[in-house]
Amino acid sequence: MAAYQTLEVASQGPVLHIRLNRPEVRNAFNGTVVEELQAAFAAADADANARVVVLSGNGKSFSAGADLAWMTEQADLPVAENQRSAERMARMFLAIARCKKPVVARIHGHALGGGTGLTAAVDMAFCTEDCLFGLTEVKLGIVPAVISPFVMQKIGAGRARTLFLTGERFDGREAQRIGLVQRAVPEGELDATVQKAVNELLAAGPAAVASAKNLIVAVDGLSLEDAIPVTSKWIAQLRSTPEAKEGFAAFLGKRTPGWMS
Ligand code: COA
């Protein structure tokens, strides 16, 4: 497994754990983190043994977002280079959102700025009830630009309006209420809650899970009429795959499917 400076990456059976590992700056991300997250998620895509990715952070907080010392350095770069650096960050979020494996985030402490962005980019996020989120960028004189599409896709433009404009912090319970996370739980229940979600994902057909992720991208924004040719072709192809045949046979034969053994 590749050695990283700012991440801890470890496999546990079919689960690939990617842990942000700059606890001294609350897992704020600089250019190295951006590069390494991009690489780690590309490796997850290519890892035939990995069926679920769990993203978490070491130390007191999940992530304090962009490293402000690094942001200051980027601001001093020539315009084109400054923009390329921002685009690399945007592509890192995209690599997470488009990871071929389902991505589950375990959020504790703080998830501010880009930390909230990471929470939005994953498929499912679980957090402690009292952890704090916030699109705090305006408090620093900037905006949550590259993360805006990920956050808006998850919570909607209406909710984003208040949160982007005020930069107010909000807790895990509120994050659950607005749909940023699936569930906020007491701290002692966080690991078991994440594990339960991972188990649900592992009980599903691996190719079906990947296909479900692509389906959402393909159908999002289509009218009900325009969706019909897309969705009918989709299920026609999927139900004839070896995995679907195994799933149907396992159900009808009252046994567990092969991917669970
Ligand atoms: N960029 C760079 N350094 C950061 C950072 C960031 N986003 N967030 C925290 N740090 C550094 C602090 O400067 C501090 O460094 P020091 O030990 O050299 O003084 C260290 O991390 C610990 O931070 P501290 O504030 O003492 O920890 P805390 O646990 O009390 O609070 C936070 C954690 C996340 C609430 C707080 O650090 C914070 O508000 N950070 C900024 C978050 C933010 O607005 N992010 C948006 C970026 S666009």
Side-chain angles (χ1 to χ4, degrees):
M1 194 158 286
Y4 296 98
Q5 288 174 47
T6 63
L7 305 177
E8 254 180 31
V9 179
S11 289
Q12 203 178 15
V15 183
L16 185 71
H17 290 272
I18 300 180
R19 300 186 185 95
L20 301 165
N21 194 28
R22 296 184 82 207
E24 68 287 357
V25 288
R26 307 297 179 258
N27 298 318
F29 43 88
N30 59 9
T32 310
V33 178
V34 168
E35 214 173 280
E36 292 192 341
L37 275 175
Q38 179 92 46
F41 276 89
D45 280 346
D47 182 348
N49 296 319
R51 290 188 46 205
V52 178
V53 180
V54 176
L55 178 65
S56 62
N58 285 342
K60 275 177 70 176
S61 280
F62 173 70
S63 175
D67 183 320
L68 294 167
W70 172 72
M71 288 283 266
T72 306
E73 287 166 18
Q74 304 311 291
D76 291 337
L77 292 173
V79 176
E81 223 174 301
N82 183 355
Q83 193 169 329
R84 273 197 296 277
S85 154
E87 186 174 333
R88 278 195 293 277
M89 184 156 65
R91 292 197 178 281
M92 177 270 282
F93 283 100
L94 185 66
I96 295 173
R98 294 284 187 259
C99 179
K100 294 192 171 86
K101 317 296 165 71
V103 183
V104 179
R106 177 198 186 280
I107 316 286
H108 74 294
H110 291 88
L112 300 175
T116 296
L118 289 173
T119 311
V122 300
D123 296 304
M124 305 161 80
F126 299 91
C127 70
T128 56
E129 288 171 333
D130 55 3
C131 75
L132 289 176
F133 295 90
L135 284 318
T136 50
E137 284 83 349
V138 284
K139 296 279 169 41
L140 298 162
I142 54 172
V143 293
V146 305
I147 60 174
S148 59
F150 301 92
V151 176
M152 288 165 64
Q153 211 172 63
K154 214 156 223 182
I155 66 171
R159 287 186 174 121
R161 223 152 152 168
T162 307
L163 297 174
F164 286 13
L165 269 54
T166 64
E168 71 193 57
R169 296 179 185 206
F170 53 96
D171 68 13
R173 295 179 193 85
E174 176 67 1
Q176 177 180 323
R177 197 188 67 78
I178 65 175
L180 179 64
V181 302
Q182 272 50 51
R183 271 187 74 202
V185 296
E187 197 171 346
E189 294 174 23
L190 184 57
D191 285 323
T193 304
V194 169
Q195 189 58 49
K196 189 166 176 281
V198 167
N199 292 345
E200 290 289 350
L201 290 163
L202 292 176
V209 172
S211 182
K213 202 163 162 170
N214 292 334
L215 176 69
I216 291 161
V217 176
V219 169
D220 196 24
L222 292 184
S223 70
L224 298 178
E225 289 78 6
D226 289 345
I228 287 176
V230 176
T231 57
S232 51
K233 190 172 167 202
W234 206 289
I235 191 59
Q237 282 177 350
L238 250 281
R239 65 189 170 198
S240 62
T241 61
E243 187 176 283
K245 288 186 175 142
E246 167 63 10
F248 298 166
F251 177 81
L252 296 172
K254 303 191 190 306
R255 61 174 175 82
T256 52
W259 61 77
M260 286 183 71
S261 51

